[in-house]
Amino acid sequence: MNTSINELRKKNIQTLIKKFVSVKNNQAIEIQSVPILNYTDFYTTVVDIIKSNDTFHCVNYYAYPQKNNLQCIIAIADDETKNILLLSHIIENAKKKKLESITQSIEAMHIFEREIAENFGIYFENHPWLKPIRYPHNREDTSQNIYNYPFYEIEGSQLHQIGVGPIHAGVIEPGHFRFTCHGETVHHLEIQLGWQHRGIETLFLQKTKLFQRNTLAENIAGDTSIGHSVVFCSVIEALNGSPIPQKLELERTIAMELERIAMHTADLANLSIGIAYQLSASVYAALRTPIINFLQSWCGNRFGKSLIRANGTFHPFSLILAENILKLLHNYEKKFDQMSQKLFSLPSAILRLKGIGNVTKTQAQQIGAVGMVARSCGIIRDIRASHPSMAYVYNPYFTSITTTGDVFSRALLRRMEIKKSIRYIQSLIHLWKQNNETIPSPILDEQLSLKKEHIAFSLAEGWRGEIVHSAITDSTGKIIHYKIKDPSLHNWKALEIALRELEISDFPINNKSFNLSYCGNDL
Amino acid sequence: MIAELKLLKLQGKQYIPDITKATIPPPFKGKPIINKEPADKDLLESICPTNAIQKNPFSIDLGKCTFCGACAFYAPQKITFTNEHNMATNVRENLIITEGEENHILLNEALIRKEIRSLFGRSLKLRQICAAGDNSTELELNATENVNFDMGRFGINFVASPRHADGIVISGPLSVNMAEATQICYDAVPNPKIIILAGTDAISGGIFQESPALKREFIQKYSIDLYVPGNPPHPLTFINGILKLIRKKM
Ligand code: SF4
């Protein structure tokens, strides 16, 4: 009995999958081969497939403008087959159109529909939270600006609101946090972003040179320079149809994991400041320094800017660097272990970290959480394992998760991931040493010829979570649409949820435990 | 307790004893040297992502340069990035390095307002404004206060309130959406006050030049006390720049 139901379900899923075109991560296909459905069909297909199994989640849904129409393209990751499923619908004469909102059925879609609504003035009916997400310069409704954001209001004589930002107390990026409180208790937190908007997606089309775009990618979020520039280069290489040497892939993967170690360590330092434990704050901060200084010894920049270029690099890895990093990681790990054993067994620290800022697995699934946030709630979601590229393809990465969804869970996951990244880098160096390929210099504009009328999606697991870039070319091979998704786009909602019914004084450590990107959201 | 002390001992001494003499090992890209060798200047001009390279006379504007190293990679005979990290100045033009010129980047002493040294020489509190910075400059500014660089030893600190500050440090290219907040914050700082621009994005807009989402009037409206180049600026560039601004002898 059970097997037949299962088989029926499988068959059902198979039929649904056939409505999409399936591609692999970093595969370019003709834009025409993306099926176009009418909106009703699109709606049910998308809802049915995402509801059918946890292994499906939407990695991007965006509108690409053509004359008066909008082609809305959805990319759904199918973790079981390691495929990306693409589908689209077209909104004709898109001005002021109304569409039924998919968010009613799948909450995780809320952010994508909000983005389309804000950019193009599409009204999604029955969307529960159709609010601006970044006030971009080219938004449809310029009568609204960032100072008249429609905050959610709760009325009550005992309630008060606290507004924080855009400029915060510390040296961090700007964002506005609006708390609705009863005494010390936060009933509702709403995060309003957009202050960092620099028009990056517009600039990707305005600045047509490869090095310009590469530099833009490095500056989407400076703490994820490597992550975003790797994904950018993958899109370009996919559209150019030029495979890169395995050795270069290994080097990029080493860089990705180093970025992860550096930022996770910085986060543990910041969390320590949050709980006023000076010792681990200093130790972790001091441990991060040699890692970023190593990146500097590799490419001249502590954040790895200028390291990643399409098809080649200015800064090939070397035997000396390999020996240095192995030695460095060895020393790092010794100190890291001693400090972490202390921190994670210190009763006063655990008391501060455990049981606060809870996000449940169900909530994380609902909001479409990705990366660290998903994994700290027990969801196995990791592009390195589910849609691998670079060295993750032939040197598998096994994902770790923690399950309690609180500040402690997020701290512990960082500790575990740092350890894993150290092991993983060691294995990469081993592979690198066996590889005799030569690393080319970066490709130049004249050598580049992008496939015409193609679309490509590239995904990678940055230290925060999945980074997705996508580009579309026209009949001359010119890029006419570029779309960027930083993992923080989804995960900001998790911070709002985590704060509910907490004391407002717990906000700083919660914020630090997520460490989301403002500029990654604002673009 | 014993365990904590052991951990502390394991750390050793972390601070850099003399900030003014500290060096950064290559391949750190600091001030470039451009010699008079011939090179394909058109290629170099077109390769530069931020229009930092000008042909006549051949020069690199460190206020626009992202230190990506592309120019030096394609014309190593002409352009070398040294590890000289002392690049901050109070004169915008001093950031333009012309071919054949090998001078240090200096501050123009005559242009430093008297009250800066008399009031801020031993204590300078700064309010940082991230105006669409990408978080790398912000991380480096935070690093200036860590156990290595320990900027606090000079009486220089970042503070939470503009009311407690003697000046502002702007990072990022100044987005339209941050324009008003930047102005409000600056206005809230009591007089006399200074303005420091940290990083290429703040100085010129960097790779974001010509973006329709920027509003940079603030920069044009006021005189800038210190330009700190870099993408992001290295903590040593930042700290030494400020020390040169606020202290006569070092
Ligand atoms: S290093 Fe500076 S001047 Fe040279 S190409 Fe890069 S941005 Fe331009």
Side-chain angles (χ1 to χ4, degrees):
Chain A
M1 177 73 186
N2 250 342
T3 38
S4 65
I5 290 180
N6 267 344
E7 251 150 45
L8 210 72
R9 261 189 63 205
K10 261 193 200 150
K11 234 185 179 166
N12 222 337
I13 294 178
Q14 286 310 319
T15 355
L16 282 169
I17 287 181
K18 286 211 183 89
K19 295 199 181 181
F20 293 80
V21 58
S22 295
V23 294
K24 289 284 174 205
N25 187 5
N26 298 331
Q27 182 192 342
I29 55 159
E30 281 177 39
I31 179 81
Q32 277 193 347
S33 55
V34 180
I36 302 170
L37 298 186
N38 69 45
Y39 189 65
T40 322
D41 278 350
F42 176 88
Y43 187 106
T44 48
T45 310
V46 166
V47 171
D48 288 348
I49 199 152
I50 294 180
K51 289 228 153 169
S52 72
N53 203 335
D54 287 351
T55 52
F56 295 101
H57 79 281
C58 174
V59 292
N60 221 341
Y61 174 45
Y62 63 80
Y64 146 57
Q66 314 153 304
K67 289 195 194 102
N68 298 326
N69 299 345
L70 283 179
Q71 182 170 11
C72 298
I73 299 170
I74 193 166
I76 295 174
D78 175 354
D79 292 355
E80 226 146 70
T81 60
K82 303 194 187 313
N83 284 333
I84 312 286
L85 312 175
L86 305 180
L87 192 65
S88 73
H89 68 89
I90 287 187
I91 311 176
E92 278 170 15
N93 300 316
K95 282 244 146 65
K96 304 245 149 55
K97 268 279 161 71
K98 288 184 179 174
L99 291 178
E100 196 60 32
S101 161
I102 303 178
T103 307
Q104 299 169 81
S105 307
I106 296 164
E107 290 93 338
M109 295 297 292
H110 80 102
I111 199 78
F112 298 119
E113 289 190 334
R114 284 167 64 185
E115 188 179 47
I116 296 171
E118 180 172 39
N119 289 351
F120 301 104
I122 306 296
Y123 185 79
F124 288 98
E125 288 184 305
N126 298 314
H127 189 298
W129 203 252
L130 200 55
K131 299 190 181 203
I133 61 174
R134 62 171 76 93
Y135 293 90
H137 69 96
N138 51 353
R139 62 190 179 274
E140 177 66 23
D141 183 4
T142 44
S143 70
Q144 298 301 310
N145 74 50
I146 198 150
Y147 291 97
N148 46 36
Y149 178 88
F151 283 102
Y152 182 69
E153 305 273 344
I154 309 174
E155 302 222 334
S157 60
Q158 311 269 306
L159 296 178
H160 66 279
Q161 285 192 349
I162 304 172
V164 180
I167 302 177
H168 298 282
V171 180
I172 57 167
E173 299 174 73
H176 184 91
F177 297 81
R178 183 73 59 96
F179 301 88
T180 305
C181 303
H182 181 217
E184 298 283 302
T185 309
V186 180
H187 286 312
H188 177 72
L189 161 64
E190 189 160 357
I191 299 169
Q192 183 213 353
L193 300 171
W195 312 90
Q196 296 276 65
H197 176 67
R198 294 148 294 168
I200 288 193
E201 287 175 339
T202 307
L203 288 173
F204 260 98
L205 305 184
Q206 234 177 61
K207 309 211 177 217
T208 53
K209 292 180 200 159
L210 196 51
F211 284 170
Q212 289 181 326
R213 288 172 168 160
N214 210 145
T215 308
L216 275 171
E218 278 171 349
N219 290 276
I220 292 169
D223 52 31
T224 318
S225 289
I226 294 169
H228 273 288
S229 50
V230 161
V231 179
F232 163 76
C233 289
S234 307
V235 172
I236 296 297
E237 286 151 7
L239 285 169
N240 195 41
S242 47
I244 62 164
Q246 222 177 54
K247 196 170 190 176
L248 185 61
E249 290 184 341
L250 281 164
E251 296 182 7
R252 284 182 185 175
T253 320
I254 293 171
M256 292 279 293
E257 292 303 325
L258 281 172
E259 185 170 72
R260 188 179 326 274
I261 295 178
M263 287 311 296
H264 280 2
T265 315
D267 285 346
L268 287 174
N270 280 331
L271 261 175
S272 304
I273 295 173
I275 60 169
Y277 186 32
Q278 193 57 44
L279 180 66
S280 61
S282 308
V283 171
Y284 286 130
L287 279 175
R288 169 181 170 253
T289 308
I291 304 280
I292 58 174
N293 282 349
F294 174 80
L295 280 171
Q296 180 176 276
S297 73
W298 182 356
C299 70
N301 186 293
R302 306 217 295 171
F303 297 81
K305 289 183 179 181
S306 81
L307 176 59
I308 312 292
R309 289 291 178 272
N311 279 68
T313 178
F314 301 135
H315 308 281
F317 203 62
S318 69
L319 260 177
I320 298 173
L321 286 170
E323 293 313 324
N324 286 349
I325 190 63
L326 289 177
K327 230 185 291 157
L328 200 158
L329 287 176
H330 178 78
N331 285 331
Y332 171 101
E333 196 173 11
K334 207 166 72 194
K335 292 182 187 174
F336 180 79
D337 281 346
Q338 285 195 359
M339 190 64 253
S340 302
Q341 272 152 20
K342 183 80 215 166
L343 174 69
F344 286 85
S345 63
L346 193 69
S348 55
I350 295 175
L351 205 65
R352 250 341 247 125
L353 300 172
K354 264 198 177 158
I356 63 160
N358 285 68
V359 180
T360 65
K361 186 173 178 181
T362 318
Q363 285 171 329
Q365 249 145 4
Q366 273 176 336
I367 62 167
V370 296
M372 294 259 343
V373 174
R375 293 198 289 281
S376 63
C377 298
I379 300 173
I380 303 173
R381 187 166 286 171
D382 188 334
I383 298 298
R384 285 173 290 179
S386 60
H387 301 271
S389 58
M390 301 178 278
Y392 303 112
V393 176
Y394 42 84
N395 190 34
Y397 181 88
F398 299 99
T399 303
S400 309
I401 54 163
T402 52
T403 52
T404 47
D406 51 0
V407 174
F408 184 80
S409 190
R410 294 186 278 278
L412 184 64
L413 183 64
R414 285 186 172 91
R415 179 188 178 185
M416 287 160 64
E417 290 206 345
I418 287 173
K419 296 281 285 178
K420 281 219 151 159
S421 294
I422 294 175
R423 291 288 94 74
Y424 195 74
I425 291 174
Q426 288 164 340
S427 66
L428 292 173
I429 302 265
H430 184 70
L431 291 170
W432 182 87
K433 281 185 180 164
Q434 292 167 345
N435 188 310
N436 293 323
E437 287 168 313
T438 41
I439 300 291
S441 352
I443 195 166
L444 294 171
D445 285 297
E446 317 64 279
Q447 300 156 329
L448 201 68
S449 98
L450 303 186
K451 291 178 186 156
K452 300 172 176 83
E453 296 184 328
H454 270 61
I455 179 169
F457 272 90
S458 288
L459 293 79
E461 189 74 17
W463 64 271
R464 280 195 183 92
E466 65 184 39
I467 301 169
V468 184
H469 287 207
S470 155
I472 300 174
T473 55
D474 71 1
S475 56
T476 62
K478 197 176 90 189
I479 293 179
I480 46 169
H481 194 256
Y482 200 86
K483 192 80 201 122
I484 299 155
K485 194 203 75 178
D486 186 87
S488 299
L489 189 75
H490 304 280
N491 288 351
W492 277 107
K493 199 96 219 132
L495 176 56
E496 293 181 349
I497 290 170
L499 251 277
R500 285 191 191 152
E501 309 309 317
L502 275 196
E503 272 188 36
I504 189 150
S505 53
D506 283 335
F507 174 71
I509 61 168
N510 264 285
N511 193 20
K512 285 170 176 155
S513 75
F514 285 98
N515 189 11
L516 301 171
S517 176
Y518 300 76
C519 49
N521 180 90
D522 297 348
L523 298 177
Chain B
M1 188 66 197
I2 305 277
E4 269 99 338
L5 288 174
K6 269 194 189 150
L7 265 164
L8 267 181
K9 184 148 188 285
L10 192 64
Q11 297 309 305
K13 274 205 191 92
Q14 292 283 345
Y15 72 101
I16 300 168
D18 189 348
I19 285 281
T20 58
K21 298 213 174 72
T23 55
I24 311 170
F28 171 77
K29 294 185 216 70
K31 182 186 163 295
I33 295 176
I34 313 169
N35 59 35
K36 296 228 156 138
E37 294 290 309
D40 185 345
K41 292 183 181 177
D42 292 322
L43 172 85
L44 292 174
E45 190 194 31
S46 85
I47 254 172
C48 179
T50 52
N51 304 318
I53 295 182
Q54 290 296 318
K55 281 189 296 187
N56 289 312
F58 191 84
S59 64
I60 294 179
D61 180 354
L62 297 183
K64 289 182 176 169
C65 176
T66 61
F67 299 84
C68 75
C71 53
F73 183 83
Y74 292 104
Q77 79 289 2
K78 183 153 188 77
I79 302 168
T80 339
F81 278 86
T82 69
N83 63 339
E84 167 65 60
H85 60 76
N86 274 308
M87 294 185 283
T89 174
N90 58 345
V91 184
R92 178 69 182 85
E93 290 69 39
N94 287 3
L95 293 178
I96 299 172
I97 311 293
T98 317
E99 82 185 326
E101 189 189 277
E102 285 198 29
N103 307 335
H104 292 292
I105 301 175
L106 299 171
L107 272 74
N108 184 334
E109 297 275 328
L111 294 177
I112 300 174
R113 283 176 285 147
K114 260 220 250 44
E115 64 263 30
I116 290 184
R117 284 185 171 162
S118 60
L119 292 175
F120 306 143
R122 299 280 151 199
S123 165
L124 177 68
K125 306 297 157 203
L126 297 166
R127 174 61 249 194
Q128 203 271 337
I129 303 175
C130 169
D134 72 2
N135 204 25
S136 58
T137 301
E138 294 70 18
L139 282 165
E140 289 298 47
L141 292 177
N142 278 313
T144 60
E145 298 197 303
N146 73 13
V147 286
N148 301 116
F149 301 108
D150 187 22
M151 184 170 70
R153 68 180 112 166
F154 304 109
I156 311 166
N157 299 95
F158 290 107
V159 291
S161 170
R163 297 281 191 220
H164 301 159
D166 306 310
I168 58 168
V169 179
I170 299 178
S171 60
L174 287 109
S175 58
V176 172
N177 291 349
M178 271 305 283
E180 197 177 328
T182 304
Q183 185 69 52
I184 293 171
C185 183
Y186 177 72
D187 291 344
V189 177
N191 280 318
K193 49 188 163 185
I194 62 170
I195 303 178
I196 298 172
L197 301 182
T200 298
D201 293 349
I203 298 172
S204 67
I207 191 66
F208 304 107
Q209 292 164 65
E210 293 127 38
S211 165
L214 300 188
K215 191 170 179 200
R216 294 179 52 78
E217 273 112 66
F218 184 90
I219 308 271
Q220 282 117 39
K221 207 157 73 181
Y222 299 102
S223 78
I224 305 297
D225 296 288
L226 196 67
Y227 300 91
V228 190
N231 183 39
H234 194 280
L236 286 177
T237 311
F238 185 78
I239 301 173
N240 283 305
I242 295 191
L243 287 176
K244 288 198 175 127
L245 177 72
I246 63 172
R247 292 188 171 181
K248 204 161 188 175
K249 266 207 295 251
M250 296 221 298

